[in-house]
Amino acid sequence: MKIALMDSGIGLLAAAAAVRRLRPDADLVLSSDPDGMPWGPRTPEYVTAHALDVARAAAAHRPDALIVACNTASVHALPALRAALEPTLPVIGTVPAIKPSVTAGGPIAIWATPATTGSPYQRGLIEEFARSVDVTEVPCPGLADAVQHADESAIDLAIAAAAARTPRDVRAVVLGCTHYELVAERIRAAVRQPGLPPVALHGSAGAVAAQALRRIGAEPAPSAEPSASLAVLLSGRPAELPKAALAYAEGQLLGAFSTAR
């Protein structure tokens, strides 16, 4: 099988690594848009146009499913992507893990880009799934960009600023941007309060990976023989994994495979 993933940048690494763990035998296609990023502050029309270009570049590799491993693209472009590609190619969007975050009660915080924070989309999810708990929406300016470039000092500053805006009594943090999952443990450490249990973090990578397998009728097989096929597309150009990707465990896992195809 072949699974494609798309994002503006390296935020797709978390979901790609999750697919790799569930099905090591799956061929992967990673399609991103370094020429057009960041998508977060752009208009919906811009995001949709670039997401369609990135998706079509991935679709040319004839995958069995396409994961939209980007919250911004899922918010603005998912209907257009599905209209363009389905039913031939199943398209799986990424939704912030608000619903599972409330299972243990609140309060919870949702870390997201400034564009997503307070958006009708996110407010709708809160209204649907988290009405019974206290919710704090925490904008994280600069964090996705810092993660994209593996800028350690900028990551530390952005996480510290977001942690300062996070109430001390939160029991769970929803990671509302796929880039944030690459620095999840640093976020957990930043919001940890002395004398209290560790804060639960809720990302989307595992759920979207599992959903992609369900959509194509495949079962997890973590002991399967690993595939050596990993195609990387940067704004449609065949390439290798960006150097910044290898700063993260997920990138290192994928970097063990061939990248220029």
Side-chain angles (χ1 to χ4, degrees):
M1 77 180 70
K2 181 181 289 186
I3 306 293
L5 301 97
M6 59 165 285
D7 186 15
S8 60
I10 64 173
L12 51 68
L13 292 175
V19 172
R20 180 66 79 193
R21 294 185 186 102
L22 289 174
R23 288 300 299 245
D25 57 332
D27 298 340
L28 297 179
V29 179
L30 310 184
S31 184
S32 62
D33 186 33
D35 293 356
M37 70 173 305
W39 289 353
R42 308 289 189 172
T43 65
E45 294 77 16
Y46 179 99
V47 173
T48 298
H50 280 253
L52 283 167
D53 286 345
V54 169
R56 287 175 175 135
H61 286 245
R62 303 179 65 84
D64 298 297
L66 172 67
I67 294 173
V68 185
C70 175
N71 294 90
T72 298
S74 296
V75 169
H76 296 304
L78 196 56
L81 291 169
R82 286 178 167 157
L85 300 174
E86 291 188 335
T88 303
L89 177 61
V91 178
I92 297 90
T94 296
V95 176
I98 295 173
K99 183 178 180 180
S101 74
V102 303
T103 56
I108 69 169
I110 305 171
W111 285 30
T113 64
T116 299
T117 300
S119 66
Y121 171 77
Q122 183 162 291
R123 291 285 169 84
L125 292 174
I126 294 169
E127 179 68 17
E128 183 175 1
F129 298 119
R131 295 178 66 181
S132 62
V133 301
D134 291 333
V135 178
T136 301
E137 296 180 89
V138 180
C140 305
L143 180 53
D145 190 57
V147 172
Q148 174 68 28
H149 296 97
D151 185 329
E152 295 294 325
S153 60
I155 291 170
D156 287 342
L157 288 172
I159 288 177
R165 292 189 288 270
T166 302
R168 294 172 57 85
D169 61 344
V170 299
R171 303 308 334 123
V173 172
V174 176
L175 304 178
C177 171
T178 54
H179 279 75
Y180 301 172
E181 297 190 50
L182 300 179
V183 291
E185 291 310 311
R186 294 165 73 166
I187 293 172
R188 191 194 309 276
V191 296
R192 177 78 185 266
Q193 297 296 331
L196 295 177
V199 173
L201 300 184
H202 295 271
S204 302
V208 297
Q211 176 66 4
L213 295 185
R214 285 192 291 269
R215 286 288 302 274
I216 63 175
E219 296 289 335
S223 61
E225 185 70 21
S227 166
S229 177
L230 175 64
V232 176
L233 303 170
L234 302 182
S235 297
R237 303 181 299 273
E240 296 184 350
L241 274 176
K243 184 177 179 181
L246 301 178
Y248 305 103
E250 294 86 350
Q252 294 164 19
L253 172 66
L254 298 169
F257 298 88
S258 174
T259 58
R261 290 183 181 261

